[in-house]
Amino acid sequence: MRILMIAPPGAGKGTQGALIAAHFNIPHIATGELLRDHVARQTPLGRAVQEYLDRGELVPDEIVLGMVREAMIAAKATGGGYVLDGIPRNMAQARAAYEIGLELGMTADVALHLQADDAELTRRLLARAALEHRSDDTPEVIAQRLALYYDVTAPILAWYSERGILVSVDAMRSASEVGREILVALEAMRPFLDHVPGQDRFPLDLTSLGEAFGATGSPASASE
Ligand code: AMP
């Protein structure tokens, strides 16, 4: 199973990425986590990227793509599956990730889109700020990260939709409800992923299922 996730900050990609990775026994490659780890250890890379993270800006593409290429090579050695969390963030990264996938014979089967509205995302990120003290979970930086998501990340969804690999889910629910729906959708797709090329598939929009399957309008908090 080879999955990449596209989601605004606060939608729960960290939580859902970890769940998917555990369920399919594949590596969870989370660029934000990898970058924060470098910052915490104050490696040369960590010192170079710290300001970008603190300001809620994107780290230069070549830095992130280098990390991801390394992680994908390692994933190939452990069976070839992966769940990418936090990349791609813009069209150039989407194309580059696709190129790396082609080169390694492991392009993504599914682009998983988690959808939630801004008020809910901001509420979750501020709740997380109280617990985790991330330097980028302040009201100003949250606004900057959301604006960046709509400007440069969300537009790449159309590309995955055209490629037939987009699966959208309603993330306005508790982490366990969203997780259950994701795993059911991925398990249902699994048998034909190897046999039906992306261009012969259709994007799958499950967002309207939210209400039928437990959306309450006041979702339980979910950390990212
Ligand atoms: P995240 O944990 O995914 O919310 O990412 C936290 C921060 O790490 C982002 O606000 C960016 O500064 C940086 N970052 C993570 N992934 C990327 C990426 N693919 N490209 C550029 N910057 C990234």
Side-chain angles (χ1 to χ4, degrees), residues 7-10 13-14 30-36 49-61 64-65 67-68 85-90 93 125 128 134 136-137 141 145 148 224:
K13 54 184 165 44
T31 50
E33 287 294 327
L34 293 171
L35 291 166
R36 278 189 293 279
V49 301
Q50 179 156 17
E51 280 200 5
Y52 294 96
L53 270 78
D54 287 348
R55 289 198 298 253
E57 289 168 8
L58 294 186
V59 167
D61 291 348
V64 183
L65 289 165
M67 277 176 12
V68 166
D85 160 356
I87 185 165
R89 285 290 231 274
N90 58 31
Q93 291 185 7
L125 291 168
R128 181 173 74 184
R134 257 175 68 162
D136 55 354
D137 282 342
V141 180
R145 288 159 63 208
L148 199 58
E224 232 198 327

Side-chain angles (χ1 to χ4, degrees), residues 19-206:
L19 175 77
I20 296 166
H23 181 83
F24 292 106
N25 193 23
I26 51 179
H28 179 199
I29 304 168
T31 50
E33 287 294 327
L34 293 171
L35 291 166
R36 278 189 293 279
D37 180 58
H38 275 282
V39 171
R41 290 187 286 122
Q42 285 289 295
T43 66
L45 190 148
R47 284 197 292 274
V49 301
Q50 179 156 17
E51 280 200 5
Y52 294 96
L53 270 78
D54 287 348
R55 289 198 298 253
E57 289 168 8
L58 294 186
V59 167
D61 291 348
E62 58 277 12
I63 293 182
V64 183
L65 289 165
M67 277 176 12
V68 166
R69 169 187 287 278
E70 231 175 80
M72 281 181 57
I73 290 171
K76 184 164 180 145
T78 62
Y82 58 80
V83 52
L84 283 186
D85 160 356
I87 185 165
R89 285 290 231 274
N90 58 31
M91 200 60 218
Q93 291 185 7
R95 291 218 170 85
Y98 184 59
E99 293 289 327
I100 296 171
L102 280 179
E103 180 193 316
L104 298 174
M106 47 198 288
T107 55
D109 301 311
V110 173
L112 180 65
H113 169 214
L114 307 183
Q115 196 172 290
D117 70 36
D118 283 7
E120 172 62 11
L121 295 169
T122 305
R123 190 190 68 73
R124 289 185 191 177
L125 291 168
L126 290 174
R128 181 173 74 184
L131 294 172
E132 292 182 21
H133 306 292
R134 257 175 68 162
S135 63
D136 55 354
D137 282 342
T138 62
E140 299 74 31
V141 180
I142 289 171
Q144 152 71 19
R145 288 159 63 208
L146 282 172
L148 199 58
Y149 174 77
Y150 293 111
D151 279 355
V152 303
T153 307
I156 62 183
L157 291 170
W159 191 59
Y160 292 112
S161 179
E162 277 161 31
R163 281 177 50 201
I165 66 168
L166 186 67
V167 175
S168 295
V169 300
D170 176 2
M172 293 283 289
R173 291 169 288 161
S174 70
S176 60
E177 283 164 331
V178 176
R180 208 175 321 133
E181 183 173 301
I182 289 172
L183 294 184
V184 167
L186 294 177
E187 280 294 356
M189 297 173 76
R190 183 146 68 151
F192 60 85
L193 286 179
D194 282 341
H195 312 292
V196 185
Q199 65 268 24
D200 294 338
R201 289 192 251 134
F202 296 98
L204 189 58
D205 186 351
L206 304 177

